[in-house]
Amino acid sequence: MVMKQQPDQSSSLQDIWGFSCFLETLCKDGFYHEVTTTTKPVGPTVTYHDKEYINFASINVLNTHQEPDVMKHFLQAAKQYGLVTGGSRVTQGVSSAHKEMEEELTRITGKERSISFASGLLANIGFINAMTCKFDFSSTCGINNSDAVFVLDRDCHWSLWKAASHLEFGKQLFPFRHNDPKHLEILLKRLSKTHKKIVVVFESIYSADGSIAPMKELLDACEKYGAISYVDNANGFMFYGPEQRLFSEEFKQMNRATFVMVSFSKAVGMEGGAISGPKDMITMFELLSGTSLFTAAIQPPTASTITYILHKLEKHPEIMDQYLERSLKLRQVLEEKHFRLNDTPSYIISVIIGNDKKAVKVYEACLENNIMVGMFRYPAVKPGHALIRIMMNAGQTDEQLQCLIAFLEKMKDTYKF
Ligand SMILES: Cc1ncc(COP(=O)(O)O)c(C=O)c1O
């Protein structure tokens, strides 16, 4: 039997909690747009309620998931492994597809072992849980890492800050200025006098502004003061590293990091996340992360397809080379047309609008003109630094890119940014 909700009871309850009032204000100020519902596969274009948009908002930009061989592999894997593992890793186990995927990742990252999670976000939360846990199985079997201190780049992803929020700020948890090794070094110098367990966390490439960490200097500081390092490589995985690509010097440094975290929802284009690192610590993350023990794993056909895509991308580095070259060209054209862009020429292109209200107007005008972009404003970015984020999709035609450029030029004239 379905219980009918009394409308007046529901709204008065929500009023007590402040949700209705919050929603109303957000809508009025243009902060909230109803989440769009897609009715066809997402790729170079995206369809919402039968209206097609050129899609510059999705993060699986290589479009791997739409390729016929990948689809075929997924369907075969669904038949071979079934759709689900049926429970969490520790209670139910994982499929051989998971093991194979984790072994491939271990080989690619050059670490000792890897563990996968249902998402990159869960990997991050699980890492901080495990590294700060205090737990006794019996009087002789336990672990106590409640004396660990964490030093995070100020611009780290929400999942990292959220996971660390149980730590006392200024005592166990310290932010360092974004991509600033000197500031990190000052903190580590001080903390290493009183603490043995220090974890430094930063990202390889930051998703709002596309900036890239000065990995050599950050890892130098970690090594100098005996700190463990955790690099969230969600956005860089499979894109950057090889010699012929930009930033190869930085990304090569990842060999020195204690842990590397990846997401499979970006270059790989599927869903899931993983951490690679020292064998015993990774093994214990099964129990101590919480986000492995208390939830289900990646679905087996997805795990198998991730391995398939990893092999494909490794065998065909030109997929990434061509994508990065085209996205760099798009950036150059925007620069020539005097748009204000983020400083780092990574594949994440941000057009800086500045004023929040203008950014909302530009975003809404893009939608009206069948162009889907990402929009970041305070608190996602610093006040006065609102931006439109363009994630070019590998399947987009030159005409579709021209359409974006022409429309943004029109917006620039109208809103003077
Ligand atoms: C830096 C960073 N870490 C972690 C995540 C979470 O990854 P996932 O989508 O696999 O949960 C993201 C995704 O936006 C990210 O940008």
Side-chain angles (χ1 to χ4, degrees), residues 327-393:
S327 100
L328 205 57
K329 260 196 199 137
L330 172 61
R331 161 178 269 277
Q332 277 162 1
V333 173
L334 290 169
E335 267 169 357
E336 280 159 19
K337 293 188 180 291
H338 306 291
F339 284 96
R340 222 159 37 104
L341 304 182
N342 52 325
D343 295 333
T344 315
S346 61
Y347 71 96
I348 296 173
I349 304 176
S350 304
V351 177
I352 296 153
I353 312 277
N355 178 290
D356 281 1
K357 287 211 166 93
K358 272 188 197 173
V360 174
K361 294 253 184 258
V362 175
Y363 173 74
E364 288 173 347
C366 283
L367 285 184
E368 271 161 34
N369 287 273
N370 297 40
I371 296 173
M372 178 70 64
V373 292
M375 193 253 303
F376 288 60
R377 54 185 285 185
Y378 180 80
V381 292
K382 279 184 280 183
H385 283 72
L387 56 90
I388 293 293
R389 189 178 73 176
I390 297 160
M391 305 288 274
M392 190 196 83
N393 186 291

Side-chain angles (χ1 to χ4, degrees), residues 204-205 212 233 236 240-241 247-254:
S204 58
I205 161 167
I212 289 188
N233 190 24
Y240 295 116
F247 317 118
S248 75
E249 279 310 307
E250 292 305 339
F251 278 77
K252 260 196 276 168
Q253 301 292 325
M254 212 119 43

Side-chain angles (χ1 to χ4, degrees), residues 170-198:
K171 221 170 170 189
Q172 294 169 286
L173 178 62
F174 301 85
F176 69 93
R177 281 195 292 270
H178 179 51
N179 280 346
D180 185 343
K182 286 208 175 85
H183 189 216
L184 175 65
E185 180 147 6
I186 292 168
L187 290 170
L188 290 182
K189 191 173 179 184
R190 177 157 59 81
L191 290 169
S192 62
K193 290 186 182 134
T194 46
H195 292 83
K196 281 206 182 86
K197 295 176 187 165
I198 307 175

Side-chain angles (χ1 to χ4, degrees), residues 195-384:
H195 292 83
K196 281 206 182 86
K197 295 176 187 165
I198 307 175
V199 186
V200 174
V201 180
F202 56 92
E203 295 178 21
S204 58
I205 161 167
Y206 290 79
S207 52
D209 67 356
S211 61
I212 289 188
M215 267 180 267
K216 180 180 179 308
E217 293 76 9
L218 294 174
L219 291 167
D220 283 348
C222 293
E223 285 170 7
K224 186 169 169 188
Y225 294 101
I228 274 179
S229 49
Y230 180 87
V231 184
D232 174 335
N233 190 24
N235 295 305
F237 181 54
M238 298 310 283
F239 278 118
Y240 295 116
E243 292 288 340
Q244 75 275 20
R245 298 197 193 132
L246 277 175
F247 317 118
S248 75
E249 279 310 307
E250 292 305 339
F251 278 77
K252 260 196 276 168
Q253 301 292 325
M254 212 119 43
N255 296 337
R256 295 165 59 199
T258 322
F259 294 97
V260 172
M261 171 270 179
V262 304
S263 162
F264 298 122
S265 67
K266 318 266 173 162
V268 175
M270 298 296 289
E271 278 166 2
I275 307 171
S276 304
K279 193 158 153 273
D280 290 351
M281 293 171 114
I282 293 288
T283 305
M284 280 302 88
F285 288 179
E286 285 183 341
L287 284 180
L288 301 176
S289 61
T291 52
S292 179
L293 179 60
F294 297 114
T295 188
I298 298 177
Q299 288 183 282
T302 300
S304 176
T305 308
I306 288 169
T307 310
Y308 180 85
I309 295 172
L310 288 175
H311 288 161
K312 184 170 173 172
L313 295 181
E314 276 195 307
K315 205 164 148 209
H316 296 284
E318 70 277 8
I319 295 175
M320 283 76 75
D321 288 336
Q322 284 164 8
Y323 174 78
L324 292 171
E325 200 183 308
R326 275 189 88 209
S327 100
L328 205 57
K329 260 196 199 137
L330 172 61
R331 161 178 269 277
Q332 277 162 1
V333 173
L334 290 169
E335 267 169 357
E336 280 159 19
K337 293 188 180 291
H338 306 291
F339 284 96
R340 222 159 37 104
L341 304 182
N342 52 325
D343 295 333
T344 315
S346 61
Y347 71 96
I348 296 173
I349 304 176
S350 304
V351 177
I352 296 153
I353 312 277
N355 178 290
D356 281 1
K357 287 211 166 93
K358 272 188 197 173
V360 174
K361 294 253 184 258
V362 175
Y363 173 74
E364 288 173 347
C366 283
L367 285 184
E368 271 161 34
N369 287 273
N370 297 40
I371 296 173
M372 178 70 64
V373 292
M375 193 253 303
F376 288 60
R377 54 185 285 185
Y378 180 80
V381 292
K382 279 184 280 183

